[in-house]
Amino acid sequence: MIPKPLSVTATHNVYRLMDETTVTINCEELRPLAQYLVELLKPATGFSFFIENKVSEPEKRSISLYLDESFELKNKEAYRLTINEHHIEIISTKDEGIFRGLQTLRQLLPATIESKKQRSGSWEIATGIITDQPGYSYRSTMLDISRHFFDVTTIKRHIRNIALYKINTLHLHLSDDQGWRIEIKSWPNLTTHGANTEVGGGKGGFLTQEDYKEIVSYAARYFITIVPEIDMPGHTNAALASYPGLNCDNKARDLYTGTEVGFSSLCTNKELTYQFVDDVIREISAITPGRYFHIGGDESHATTHQNYIDFINRVRTMVKKNGKQMIGWEEVAQASIDSSDLIQFWNQPQTAINGIKQGAQVIISPSKYAYLDMKYNSNTLIGQNWAAIIDVKRAYEWNPLLLINEITKKDIIGLEAPLWTETVKTADDIDYLVFPRLAAIAEIGWTPDAQKNWNNFCKRLSENGKRMKQLEINFYPSPLISWDNNQ
Ligand code: TNX
């Protein structure tokens, strides 16, 4: 099981899925989750798994999903999974907790349960009781769809894969120098022009607002919140190429297909710029049910310091006006922020400390440990190495609490492992850099540090490798792990 649950008590018996196994729910709210479970179990087993709405009868070999406000663990992702020879029960105060529990149950079944074709198997699960809840509430990964564009199908597949590890947030990097990737109805050239290329000169692409909504609602089925990012005032060449008026000299920039950073800036002392930013934030916020809006704010080397601060202060009020909580990369802590904002630490502890001093909580994304675009070793064919070479052990063996002296647990909302895609062109490339390192990061986010152990993680990851194979995830087969190649 990855991430490792908080408490596991084995009772040394087995439960077996059978053709007569039913799924019971104690309220209609759980029906989508029962359906999700059936979709998960049906293809490989070939069993029917009827869904019944009633309090389960233990002798009936059911898997019961049970919402109960009086369940003792109040964290919305907490659950208890009880397995005896006759019956399985997942209980939580919220459907979200049931969903996380289902990921645990899934990982207790043989890896062949993930097969889309019917398989023979005895479908046994070891009995016991698992009581579980996360250490951090924000457990995220980022996908950059600007440097290379990835379509709805690829993003949905990614959502399914990250959900297995109880990741609950997907941050989409929707704009950068190389491409603007989301339709903005009031500024149509952003996508008719600014989406037409990507790193290396490929054709690029963009999400329509309908596509984006489809992704948001698909992610919600996996209890994953989408966090949209529009990076500004730097990383904006695609916008500057689409609307000449956003440049101080009123001259449209050329589309950009390289990988330099820090050369572009919106013209921060023009009113048109703020009208533009307000429209963008308003349109995206309107189709984003999640509470966050990420304004980027990183590497704005082409903006003067004072202009940068004035810009962030003003954009921050626009985010609030649109009913969202602002997230910014650590640099935004130079502006006037407060406890209603989140900053994302990636590089300089001092900027993160600035943010904490102003009362903001931090998302921990240290490039030296959590950047999924870093190479695994010097021979890795894709990826970068400017922050570090990150093998699976390095991705696993760090503690968010120990990175910055001044930081305490209450300052940390959680972690994120970003995937920047300058070198990532295909869904297979995404898989290769994300897995299995995201499994390591997911465990840091969920499991208390004292319960983490590298050798034990390696064993569980080796098991997990069979599951990733069934799911056709093109993971990096790290030589640090002894993979079982028989399945
Ligand atoms: C730095 S990390 C960036 C990105 C690049 C990444 C490549 C951060 C906030 N900015 O623009 O894609 O390095 O590793």
Side-chain angles (χ1 to χ4, degrees):
M1 287 175 281
I2 300 175
K4 187 178 196 175
L6 197 61
S7 139
V8 181
T9 311
T11 51
H12 310 291
N13 220 319
V14 291
Y15 173 94
R16 185 171 291 128
L17 293 181
M18 312 240 253
D19 206 4
E20 61 266 31
T21 304
T22 57
V23 176
T24 66
I25 51 180
N26 72 329
C27 59
E28 277 306 307
E29 200 185 331
L30 289 178
R31 189 166 294 271
L33 285 181
Q35 278 158 351
Y36 167 79
L37 176 61
V38 173
E39 277 167 39
L40 205 66
L41 302 179
K42 212 172 175 171
T45 60
F47 304 156
S48 357
F49 299 107
F50 291 114
I51 299 172
E52 297 172 319
N53 184 343
K54 62 172 172 188
V55 178
S56 66
E57 297 156 35
E59 69 275 15
K60 276 209 66 187
R61 304 205 56 81
S62 61
I63 302 175
S64 72
L65 310 183
Y66 201 92
L67 268 195
D68 183 355
E69 278 184 5
S70 68
F71 175 56
E72 64 265 25
L73 299 178
K74 301 303 178 200
N75 182 309
K76 66 181 169 58
E77 297 186 287
Y79 66 92
R80 187 178 60 223
L81 167 60
T82 309
I83 304 164
N84 65 37
E85 305 100 281
H86 309 292
H87 184 229
I88 294 180
E89 182 195 70
I90 304 178
I91 185 169
S92 176
T93 60
K94 289 274 181 292
D95 49 357
E96 189 166 347
I98 305 276
F99 182 80
R100 305 295 172 225
L102 285 172
Q103 301 310 314
T104 304
L105 174 61
R106 173 184 183 188
Q107 294 192 27
L108 289 168
L109 279 156
T112 45
I113 197 71
E114 310 291 348
S115 167
K116 291 285 156 271
K117 286 193 237 95
Q118 195 171 327
R119 303 285 288 259
S120 60
S122 57
W123 312 118
E124 287 179 353
I125 309 179
T127 60
I129 301 176
I130 293 175
T131 310
D132 202 10
Q133 64 177 14
Y136 292 102
S137 63
Y138 193 100
R139 302 180 310 282
S140 177
T141 187
M142 186 198 85
L143 183 63
D144 168 5
I145 65 166
S146 180
R147 270 53 177 274
H148 282 97
F149 177 65
F150 297 98
D151 65 6
V152 176
T153 307
T154 306
I155 297 171
K156 283 184 175 174
R157 177 176 177 275
H158 198 55
I159 286 168
R160 289 196 296 281
N161 289 341
I162 65 177
L164 175 62
Y165 304 101
K166 301 186 173 75
I167 294 293
N168 66 7
T169 308
L170 175 63
H171 165 188
L172 291 177
H173 186 74
L174 294 167
S175 68
D176 213 303
D177 293 319
Q178 296 85 349
W180 187 281
R181 306 297 181 206
I182 181 148
E183 174 193 19
I184 301 295
K185 297 191 181 189
S186 52
W187 295 76
N189 291 356
L190 291 170
T191 46
T192 54
H193 182 67
N196 289 336
T197 194
E198 57 189 2
V199 168
K203 70 176 174 32
F206 65 95
L207 303 174
T208 64
Q209 293 200 1
E210 287 308 310
D211 290 339
Y212 178 82
K213 287 195 243 174
E214 191 179 327
I215 290 166
V216 166
S217 66
Y218 190 81
R221 287 166 53 191
Y222 294 80
F223 295 85
I224 289 175
T225 302
I226 298 294
V227 173
E229 178 190 353
I230 295 298
D231 204 347
M232 49 194 160
H235 289 278
T236 42
N237 187 77
L240 300 171
S242 306
Y243 286 97
L246 298 176
N247 298 278
C248 290
D249 62 8
N250 290 315
K251 291 196 181 105
R253 298 298 181 258
D254 291 334
L255 291 175
Y256 182 69
T257 61
T259 60
E260 295 299 311
V261 297
F263 61 88
S264 57
S265 180
L266 293 171
C267 189
T268 53
N269 36 36
K270 264 188 167 180
E271 272 318 296
L272 183 69
T273 295
Y274 295 96
Q275 193 188 317
F276 164 75
V277 172
D278 196 28
D279 286 339
V280 169
I281 296 176
R282 177 175 43 75
E283 287 197 31
I284 297 177
S285 296
I287 52 174
T288 302
R291 63 195 288 196
Y292 305 111
F293 189 98
H294 199 309
I295 64 159
D298 59 315
E299 299 173 321
S300 293
H301 309 315
T303 321
T304 68
H305 182 66
Q306 194 55 49
N307 284 350
Y308 177 82
I309 289 173
D310 294 344
F311 177 85
I312 299 295
N313 285 344
R314 199 159 159 192
V315 169
R316 180 174 171 269
T317 62
M318 292 177 180
V319 173
K320 280 181 188 277
K321 188 187 76 187
N322 284 287
K324 297 297 174 195
Q325 182 169 7
M326 183 187 87
I327 306 180
W329 295 105
E330 62 192 20
E331 289 95 322
V332 305
Q334 299 167 77
S336 306
I337 59 169
D338 66 24
S339 60
S340 62
D341 305 305
L342 288 180
I343 54 166
Q344 186 164 4
F345 164 64
W346 64 280
N347 188 31
Q348 300 277 346
Q350 195 49 51
T351 45
I353 293 166
N354 261 340
I356 295 163
K357 285 198 180 131
Q358 298 189 75
Q361 274 194 303
V362 184
I363 299 164
I364 302 285
S365 297
S367 47
K368 286 180 162 56
Y369 299 100
Y371 266 31
L372 298 171
D373 63 322
M374 294 299 128
K375 290 176 184 287
Y376 288 98
N377 61 53
S378 54
N379 298 322
T380 310
L381 293 176
I382 52 173
Q384 310 212 41
N385 60 10
W386 66 263
I389 295 280
I390 306 180
D391 63 19
V392 181
K393 191 161 195 269
R394 186 176 172 89
Y396 185 76
E397 293 203 308
W398 60 280
N399 178 348
L401 264 175
L402 301 180
L403 292 176
I404 302 173
N405 280 339
E406 287 81 349
I407 215 162
T408 60
K409 178 95 203 243
K410 68 167 185 1
D411 300 320
I412 303 178
I413 186 167
L415 343 53
E416 177 177 292
L419 180 69
W420 301 101
T421 58
E422 286 93 334
T423 66
V424 176
K425 300 190 184 105
T426 64
D428 271 355
D429 291 348
I430 294 178
D431 283 5
Y432 192 77
L433 290 176
V434 172
F435 302 103
R437 284 185 292 200
L438 187 63
I441 306 287
E443 183 146 309
I444 297 174
W446 185 280
T447 309
D449 191 65
Q451 283 177 239
K452 284 174 57 220
N453 174 286
W454 167 249
N455 289 326
N456 176 268
F457 179 72
C458 287
K459 286 196 198 118
R460 286 179 288 120
L461 190 53
S462 167
E463 269 303 302
N464 190 252
K466 298 182 207 163
R467 195 166 303 272
M468 288 192 282
K469 272 191 193 159
Q470 292 293 337
L471 292 167
E472 296 174 3
I473 296 176
N474 179 43
F475 65 97
Y476 164 64
S478 165
L480 301 175
I481 284 94
S482 49
W483 305 100
D484 172 353
N485 290 315
N486 298 326
Q487 287 222 30

